[in-house]
């Protein structure tokens, strides 16, 4: 299995939905898109085998992949969509309060450059209720960054470690994220990212504002933040039209492309595993 298939516990969520329980996810016959992006669904710099199927979130991503010469591509929807299908909507909408804010983040290979103090001041001036700041594991481990948000009076959390090279994957990452999103009325970030689309799908009012910050050696191949702002202007600002946001999120997450458990097992190369379990049950 490509190691990125384990990121954020994606393989674990798909295995649960496919009816394989909480067992360690079997090898996936393909590369599962692990985050929203404006390219072909494959993360730049991640090695993958030629002719390996690309299992993508949306029809838009499939078309972009086709335009750059990739042919073995299938749209299955985002793992987050499958998680939502596994869990009922809780708590009731009237219990939602405040904003969950996701500052743009770096990772092992790239650091973010930006002024967190200015971002904090903008958040304080903009958000009407209590604020939860969710730092990515990379920044959460940086005590100087984490303390800035804590001293501002925000509740500071981290959903967990993404995992890397098949190690330290947190299978509950997406579950924690869904739980937190359902507790908040708003979701916001300084860049349009997966978290914003997840928040919209989970019933939050979205906002994208503030300095988008700079990622060291950021790959400009697909147009970067300038293109994102041009292509999705409706999702930028401190107040966004919710029906429009819901429609866009549904398309970008591939909600309407979610497979049945049997279809998913077939696409991921797991059909024989279900048959073996049924034979054992007999």
């Amino acid at each position: 299995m490509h190691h990125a298939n384990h990121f954020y516990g994606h393989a674990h969520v798909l295995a649960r939905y496919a009816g394989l329980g909480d067992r360690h996810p079997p090898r996936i016959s393909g590369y599962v898109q692990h985050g929203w992006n404006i390219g072909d669904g494959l993360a730049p710099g991640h090695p993958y085998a030629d002719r390996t199927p690309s299992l993508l979130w949306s029809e838009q991503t499939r078309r972009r992949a086709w335009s750059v010469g990739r042919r073995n591509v299938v749209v299955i929807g985002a793992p987050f969509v499958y998680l939502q299908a596994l869990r009922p909507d809780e708590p009731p909408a009237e219990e939602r309060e405040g904003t969950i804010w996701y500052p743009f983040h770096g990772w092992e290979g790239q650091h973010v450059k930006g002024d967190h103090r200015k971002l904090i001041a903008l958040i304080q001036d903009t958000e009407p209720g209590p604020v939860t700041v969710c730092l990515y594991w990379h920044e959460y481990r940086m005590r100087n960054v984490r303390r800035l948000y804590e001293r501002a009076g925000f509740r500071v959390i981290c959903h967990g470690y993404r995992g890397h090279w098949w190690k330290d994957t947190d299978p509950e990452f997406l579950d924690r994220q869904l739980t937190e999103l359902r507790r908040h009325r708003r979701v916001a970030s300084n860049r349009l990212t997966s978290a914003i689309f997840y928040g919209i799908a989970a019933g939050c009012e979205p906002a994208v504002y503030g300095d988008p910050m700079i990622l060291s050696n950021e790959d400009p191949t697909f147009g970067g933040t300038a293109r994102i702002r041009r292509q999705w202007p409706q999702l930028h600002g401190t107040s966004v039209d919710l029906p429009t946001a819901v429609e866009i999120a549904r398309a970008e997450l591939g909600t309407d492309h979610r497979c049945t458990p049997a279809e998913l097992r077939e696409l991921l190369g797991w059909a024989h595993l279900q048959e073996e379990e049924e034979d054992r049950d007999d």
Side-chain angles (χ1 to χ4, degrees):
M1 182 191 296
H2 194 288
H3 78 108
N5 289 345
H6 271 242
F7 286 179
Y8 311 109
H10 283 171
H12 294 77
V13 169
L14 296 176
R16 283 161 54 192
Y17 179 87
L20 302 183
D22 293 326
R23 59 183 286 183
H24 184 75
R27 180 184 182 276
I28 293 175
S29 299
Y31 179 102
V32 178
Q33 179 182 340
H34 73 259
W36 180 79
N37 66 46
I38 60 173
D40 59 5
L42 300 179
H46 283 281
Y48 65 96
D50 288 339
R51 300 188 184 90
T52 300
S54 294
L55 305 167
L56 306 178
W57 290 11
S58 70
E59 177 61 20
Q60 294 89 323
T61 308
R62 186 201 66 78
R63 290 199 300 267
R64 290 196 297 267
W66 187 271
S67 73
V68 297
R70 303 197 189 282
R71 294 294 179 264
N72 196 1
V73 293
V74 181
V75 178
I76 65 170
F80 190 82
V81 170
Y82 292 89
L83 178 62
Q84 286 189 289
L86 287 168
R87 291 178 49 181
D89 290 335
E90 81 282 341
E94 59 268 24
E95 295 182 13
R96 293 176 181 263
E97 183 183 31
T99 302
I100 183 166
W101 225 101
Y102 289 89
F104 182 60
H105 63 80
W107 62 289
E108 292 99 334
Q110 293 173 292
H111 292 264
V112 164
K113 299 177 183 178
D115 192 329
H116 288 280
R117 289 183 175 84
K118 286 186 178 180
L119 185 59
I120 287 170
L122 182 59
I123 294 171
Q124 291 173 323
D125 290 342
T126 304
E127 297 305 325
V131 175
T132 295
V133 169
C134 183
L135 295 177
Y136 196 57
W137 64 268
H138 190 65
E139 283 72 28
Y140 191 80
R141 292 179 178 180
M142 298 179 182
R143 185 177 180 183
N144 60 326
V145 174
R146 188 176 73 248
R147 293 295 291 274
L148 285 175
Y149 289 96
E150 291 173 342
R151 288 169 179 165
F154 300 145
R155 172 178 172 247
V156 180
I157 64 170
C158 178
H159 293 322
Y161 182 51
R162 176 202 64 196
H164 193 58
W165 292 113
W166 300 283
K167 295 180 180 179
D168 302 322
T169 297
D170 189 337
E172 302 299 320
F173 188 106
L174 275 193
D175 278 282
R176 291 194 198 94
Q177 186 165 20
L178 179 56
T179 296
E180 286 290 343
L181 288 168
R182 286 175 171 171
R183 290 174 178 170
H184 291 84
R185 186 174 63 83
R186 280 168 57 88
V187 60
S189 181
N190 49 337
R191 286 207 192 192
L192 185 59
T193 61
S194 302
I196 293 295
F197 290 113
Y198 293 168
I200 296 169
C204 298
E205 300 169 9
V208 179
Y209 62 90
D211 178 7
M213 299 189 176
I214 298 172
L215 190 63
S216 63
N217 299 316
E218 193 161 0
D219 188 338
T221 302
F222 294 103
T225 57
R227 178 192 154 197
I228 291 174
R229 288 181 177 272
R230 288 196 310 271
Q231 189 165 345
W232 292 276
Q234 314 96 315
L235 298 181
H236 289 79
T238 58
S239 180
V240 172
D241 181 69
L242 187 56
T244 300
V246 169
E247 181 180 354
I248 294 173
R250 191 174 187 88
E252 294 298 326
L253 294 177
T255 303
D256 296 332
H257 293 278
R258 191 187 78 210
C259 301
T260 65
E263 290 170 338
L264 188 64
R265 290 193 297 270
E266 185 69 31
L267 287 171
L268 301 187
W270 293 349
H272 67 287
L273 298 173
Q274 182 70 13
E275 294 170 358
E276 290 172 1
E277 289 192 4
E278 291 173 353
D279 290 341
R280 281 197 295 270
D281 291 340
D282 292 341

